[in-house]
DNA sequence: GAGCAAATGAAAACATTTTTCAATTACGAG
DNA sequence: CTCGTAATTGAAAAATGTTTTCATTTGCTC
């Protein structure tokens, strides 16, 4: 989902498309799993309070997602699924594309749960830290 | 891994097995993905600072893991893998046992990454909220 | 038991996030 | 296009959550 689509969904939800929100969404879209600090650095013109409020608004609408992989919260556009490699030594987070989930094994009918998306985190040691 | 084993690893790492640490570890082992508040309620005799320090120590040793599934950090014993259903409506977190990961699909050789454990979070709506 | 480094806890410091509230602004109605 | 209005913004203050400091206490080794 691109920046325009996110803003469209915002307006569709009855929220205003302010310049500040454009900036914040553009900042988030620029790179996955950024910290608050990184996002703020990409929005020099937007007040801190507004960044906080926009992140909360967007995640409430399911458009972005908050992660905690160690070292404070991080944010990313909510895709259907995403897969992270988290190094337990240096804290580095990278992504891998191939989804290792076997749909046949994901049977949630017992729980009556309606799945919308998922995430997989693999913990271990990155090539540098080994 | 049970409480005794965790304390044993602590001592193996050169750390003291204090009564406070026993209490905190017992509290964490009592239930998965508890909040700070819940853990503290199970350790009435342990000061807040010590709880914080013990959580940091244990997670640094890889014995417990910090999660953020929305609504603040949660903690649990670090098993090899664990699988959560997170309701995006009410925030409820439950577990499911069957691992939906296909080992054949989890090929990290390209990344040179050495996997130690993993977690899978499935986001959606629980049976109550549907 | 004695010695000592490690651990504890209360208070203070620090960091992060949220609330308050007056001023500003997007956007639909006319 | 202009107006009116409710939503939004931002600075400061408040609230919340976490970490540091430091004097005291306590496991653990010899």
């Amino acid at each position: 989902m691109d920046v325009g689509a996110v803003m469209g969904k915002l307006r569709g939800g009855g929220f205003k498309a302010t310049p500040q929100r454009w900036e914040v969404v553009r900042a988030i879209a620029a790179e996955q799993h950024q910290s608050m600090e990184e996002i703020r650095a990409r929005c020099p013109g937007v007040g801190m309070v507004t960044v906080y409020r926009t992140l909360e608004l967007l995640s409430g609408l399911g458009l972005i997602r908050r992660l905690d992989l160690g070292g404070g919260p991080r944010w990313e556009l909510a895709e259907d699924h995403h897969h992270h490699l988290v190094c337990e030594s240096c804290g580095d987070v990278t992504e891998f594309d191939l989804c290792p989930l076997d749909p046949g094994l994901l049977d949630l009918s017992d729980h009556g749960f309606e799945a919308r998306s998922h995430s997989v985190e693999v913990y271990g040691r990155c090539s540098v830290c080994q």
Side-chain angles (χ1 to χ4, degrees), chain A:
Chain A
M1 184 149 52
D2 68 347
V3 175
V6 171
M7 294 307 290
K9 292 215 171 184
L10 252 194
R11 301 195 55 175
F15 300 96
K16 292 182 179 173
T18 66
Q20 289 93 338
R21 284 175 178 164
W22 275 97
E23 271 208 61
V24 173
V25 172
R26 247 185 261 115
I28 297 170
E31 193 183 339
Q32 291 289 66
H33 46 77
Q34 292 180 84
S35 66
M36 182 69 190
E37 212 173 31
E38 291 168 314
I39 293 170
R40 283 244 287 148
R42 293 185 197 267
C43 307
V46 183
M48 179 186 58
V49 185
T50 299
V51 176
Y52 274 108
R53 278 192 285 227
T54 305
L55 292 176
E56 196 198 335
L57 175 65
L58 293 171
S59 67
L61 292 171
L63 299 172
I64 66 174
R65 179 165 303 135
R66 177 192 168 132
L67 308 167
D68 190 344
L69 309 170
R74 291 164 176 276
W75 302 86
E76 61 176 31
L77 287 179
E79 306 292 343
D80 282 352
H81 52 172
H82 41 176
H83 316 106
H84 298 123
L85 301 175
V86 184
C87 178
E88 293 178 319
S89 249
C90 66
D92 186 51
V93 178
T94 57
E95 300 186 35
F96 63 101
D97 293 326
L98 193 62
C99 179
L101 263 193
D102 182 339
L105 294 178
L106 187 60
D107 179 11
L108 303 177
S109 52
D110 285 353
H111 297 84
F113 195 90
E114 181 187 301
R116 208 182 63 84
S117 63
H118 69 256
S119 70
V120 177
E121 278 92 41
V122 177
Y123 298 91
R125 296 174 79 84
C126 70
S127 55
V128 177
C129 289
Q130 275 169 35

